[in-house]
Amino acid sequence: MPQKRPYSPRPAAVKTVPPGRPAAVQGVDVEQIKEEWLVEDGWWTGLPLKRHYFEVVLSDGRNLVVFKDEGAGNERWYLQRA
Amino acid sequence: MVVCVLIPRFELIAACANDWRQLRQAAALAPEAGQSPVIGQVSRAAEEAFGILPGMRVGEALARCPEIRLIPPDPVRATQLWDQTLERLEAIGAEVESERPGEALFAADGLLALQGGLEGLLEATGKAVSHQRALAVATQIAAAATPFAARAAAWSEGHSEQDHQGRHFPVATRHIPAEQTSAFLSPLPITTLATDPGVESSLVADLQRLGITSLGALTELSTAQAADRFGHPGLRARHLAAGGDEPLHPRRQPEQLEETLELPDSVDGSQLGHALKLLIDRFLAMPRRQGRMIRSLVLSATLASGGSWRRHIALNQPSGSAEILHLALAPSLDVLPGPVSVLSLKALDLGATTPDQPPLDLDAERQRRLRLAEAVRQTRANAGPDALLRVLPLSSETRLPERRLTLSPYEPAAKTRSIDA
């Protein structure tokens, strides 16, 4: 039986600026937002999925992908390899 | 009839060496080097006056009692002292079972005639364990019909160190006649089960949570109820609480296969590595080994700063190879807390005189698969069932990254087309 999955999202501490764009990830400032995209899935089910992805470059040079989970109702941020 | 010899806080007593009067004050075993920062056994004064318990973090113990004396552990001395104690018990005819230092049990039935009855046997036992004054002060002896009842009687016996008047046999001895076993066990608290090494602390906690607070209350459950709620551990606990008997497993007389290397100039680092190689060569060259393979051994060291250090290493396969022993033992040197003045190697378990023979098989692919399967088995045995996983593709076109791949246990015989992790 499959047990775990690579690329599983991990909760992340993200500071935002209006209108909800990431300004810092895990305490490190965001230098640039390279790309952003929206993923919506399962809207026909009782568990719709809606994620707002951002590919960001941090001030320490790292390139990360974060997303805001807008489908959960509490709008939490996550880090994910994509 | 079973006799239980109990020396509470044995490792703490051993670490005190000849200065056992430290135990009248608040004292505790300091954490071992390379282990988590929690204290070991504590003195009665530390426990009763300050509520300090074994396993407590050092910081918390110091907060409760800033004057507590932290005594460096001396596992080598504890082992030597306990081995001497067991040998002295075996010298009076006892076949001893000992699962942990400080506690020994033996069947009394064959010794009663030899020692002139039960009183004579208990006196002889007391003299046997009183070879050190500190042990004489602390020892408690009990005789009962079953091992569990004897343990419970030894643990429940109160001990007063102030009563010691310089006599060389223990103060506390107790005898529970067979017909009084159930009456003795019934009112004892359920925590008495924890005196048995085979009972998990989680079972005791579960019983307490369910309001079963005494051994008598446990025996009021039917076997079906105990089995249904707690499984086999619960059935065994109920059997013990009801005065059920279990056979003892006396230890085999250990063969003394030990080599020691004294290091006049206390060494550490690379010099210690050379000393280990020399010690291994001498150990393997001992005529008493008679070519037998080593299954498990103990590497111990006396530290130049005082105290000692000890590590038990079990080999995956019996071996008589110096290279393999060095590979197994060398990493332990990295956690030594300081320079070493004496290094020792002792065999605990020996195998046959020849190593396992590989099968005669001309199929190279099959041999490779067998070796691979053995490597997988050993990796999982050391690092857990999730140590070796295979990446399986699920859906390459999904926009959600976590749905593209999954991880599954790696099996060498599987013939799926996948990427090996």
Side-chain angles (χ1 to χ4, degrees):
Chain A
M1 289 291 286
Q3 298 173 354
K4 300 179 186 175
R5 294 191 177 181
Y7 309 144
S8 291
R10 292 173 284 137
V14 175
K15 216 156 89 171
T16 58
V17 291
R21 301 168 75 75
V25 179
Q26 314 282 43
V28 182
D29 290 338
V30 171
E31 278 285 329
Q32 181 194 4
I33 296 176
K34 284 183 68 177
E35 199 177 346
E36 67 177 287
W37 64 97
L38 196 61
V39 174
E40 290 192 71
D41 200 0
W43 61 84
W44 61 93
T45 68
L47 294 170
L49 187 145
K50 185 176 180 184
R51 296 180 182 175
H52 195 165
Y53 278 88
F54 296 87
E55 183 180 351
V56 301
V57 179
L58 302 182
S59 59
D60 59 8
R62 284 182 295 154
N63 194 336
L64 298 180
V65 173
V66 296
F67 70 82
K68 183 167 72 174
D69 188 353
E70 296 172 354
N74 52 9
E75 300 199 345
R76 300 182 71 173
W77 285 88
Y78 294 85
L79 204 57
Q80 185 171 40
R81 282 181 59 189
Chain B
M1 178 72 58
V2 175
V3 174
C4 176
V5 176
L6 178 69
I7 307 176
R9 308 179 177 86
F10 177 81
E11 283 155 356
L12 182 61
I13 294 173
C16 289
N18 294 324
D19 191 14
W20 57 274
R21 286 179 185 80
Q22 295 182 79
L23 299 179
R24 290 195 174 147
Q25 305 159 18
L29 272 182
E32 278 201 45
Q35 306 291 322
S36 54
V38 295
I39 56 174
Q41 293 175 345
V42 304
S43 67
R44 180 176 289 229
E47 186 175 338
E48 291 179 352
F50 300 98
I52 296 172
L53 299 172
M56 189 175 274
R57 297 191 79 82
V58 174
E60 184 178 351
L62 288 170
R64 286 171 180 250
C65 176
E67 295 82 27
I68 190 170
R69 300 183 75 158
L70 291 176
I71 299 166
D74 197 339
V76 172
R77 185 163 191 275
T79 303
Q80 287 171 346
L81 199 57
W82 189 239
D83 282 344
Q84 284 172 19
T85 305
L86 293 181
E87 285 164 9
R88 289 175 69 96
L89 286 172
E90 285 163 348
I92 67 170
E95 290 186 329
V96 180
E97 172 189 302
S98 175
E99 296 205 26
R100 49 196 173 190
E103 185 184 278
L105 296 105
F106 60 88
D109 299 325
L111 299 175
L112 294 174
L114 194 66
Q115 301 290 345
L118 184 61
E119 272 198 34
L121 176 61
L122 293 180
E123 186 173 341
T125 303
K127 285 181 182 168
V129 300
S130 302
H131 55 110
Q132 299 257 343
R133 191 179 172 95
L135 299 183
V137 170
T139 301
Q140 293 161 198
I141 301 176
T146 70
F148 178 68
R151 268 200 189 97
W155 277 104
S156 67
E157 181 64 32
H159 171 72
S160 170
E161 292 173 13
Q162 285 78 21
D163 290 347
H164 186 67
Q165 299 291 328
R167 290 175 293 181
H168 291 289
F169 53 90
V171 174
T173 59
R174 190 170 184 184
H175 170 221
I176 309 293
E179 61 275 11
Q180 295 177 17
T181 303
S182 294
F184 163 68
L185 289 175
S186 185
L188 293 180
I190 199 68
T191 48
T192 308
L193 284 174
T195 62
D196 185 286
V199 174
E200 297 281 343
S201 55
S202 55
L203 174 64
V204 177
D206 286 343
L207 289 167
Q208 286 178 308
R209 264 200 302 275
L210 292 173
I212 299 170
T213 55
S214 70
L215 295 183
L218 177 58
T219 58
E220 285 171 12
L221 295 179
S222 67
T223 51
Q225 287 172 322
D228 181 50
R229 181 63 181 84
F230 304 107
H232 182 263
L235 273 181
R236 181 173 176 268
R238 186 190 176 282
H239 175 71
L240 295 177
D245 197 6
E246 281 193 338
L248 291 174
H249 301 285
R251 69 170 194 162
R252 219 172 36 181
Q253 289 277 1
E255 191 167 349
Q256 294 300 324
L257 210 61
E258 183 173 7
E259 186 64 43
T260 299
L261 188 64
E262 291 197 9
L263 305 164
D265 301 319
S266 305
V267 298
D268 58 1
S270 61
Q271 286 182 310
L272 195 55
H274 295 315
L276 177 64
K277 283 184 184 167
L278 179 58
L279 179 65
I280 291 172
D281 288 341
R282 283 191 185 180
F283 177 79
L284 293 175
M286 280 195 293
R288 273 182 295 140
R289 185 172 74 91
Q290 297 174 335
R292 286 173 288 176
M293 300 296 116
I294 313 299
R295 287 183 184 275
S296 67
L297 29 65
V298 167
L299 178 65
S300 55
T302 303
L303 303 174
S305 57
S308 65
W309 170 93
R310 192 168 185 266
R311 278 299 176 272
H312 173 219
I313 290 109
L315 302 179
N316 287 331
Q317 286 190 338
S319 175
S321 159
E323 187 182 347
I324 289 176
L325 289 186
H326 188 260
L327 275 173
L329 295 170
S332 301
L333 300 182
D334 293 338
V335 296
L336 271 170
V340 168
S341 57
V342 178
L343 201 59
S344 298
L345 199 54
K346 180 177 175 181
L348 289 182
D349 195 11
L350 296 166
T353 54
T354 53
D356 293 342
Q357 298 287 344
L360 183 62
D361 194 327
L362 299 176
D363 186 343
E365 174 62 19
R366 184 163 174 270
Q367 281 194 14
R368 189 189 76 83
R369 287 203 169 276
L370 285 173
R371 285 202 301 271
L372 187 56
E374 177 62 16
V376 169
R377 187 194 69 75
Q378 289 192 18
T379 302
R380 288 209 173 108
N382 281 317
D386 289 343
L388 217 53
L389 300 169
R390 184 192 300 268
V391 177
L392 292 177
L394 290 177
S395 171
S396 60
E397 295 172 0
T398 179
R399 293 171 299 164
L400 297 173
E402 68 267 27
R403 293 182 186 173
R404 291 175 194 152
L405 303 170
T406 189
L407 296 173
S408 180
Y410 173 74
E411 297 299 336
K415 291 184 180 171
T416 54
R417 291 175 59 189
S418 59
I419 308 164
D420 291 347

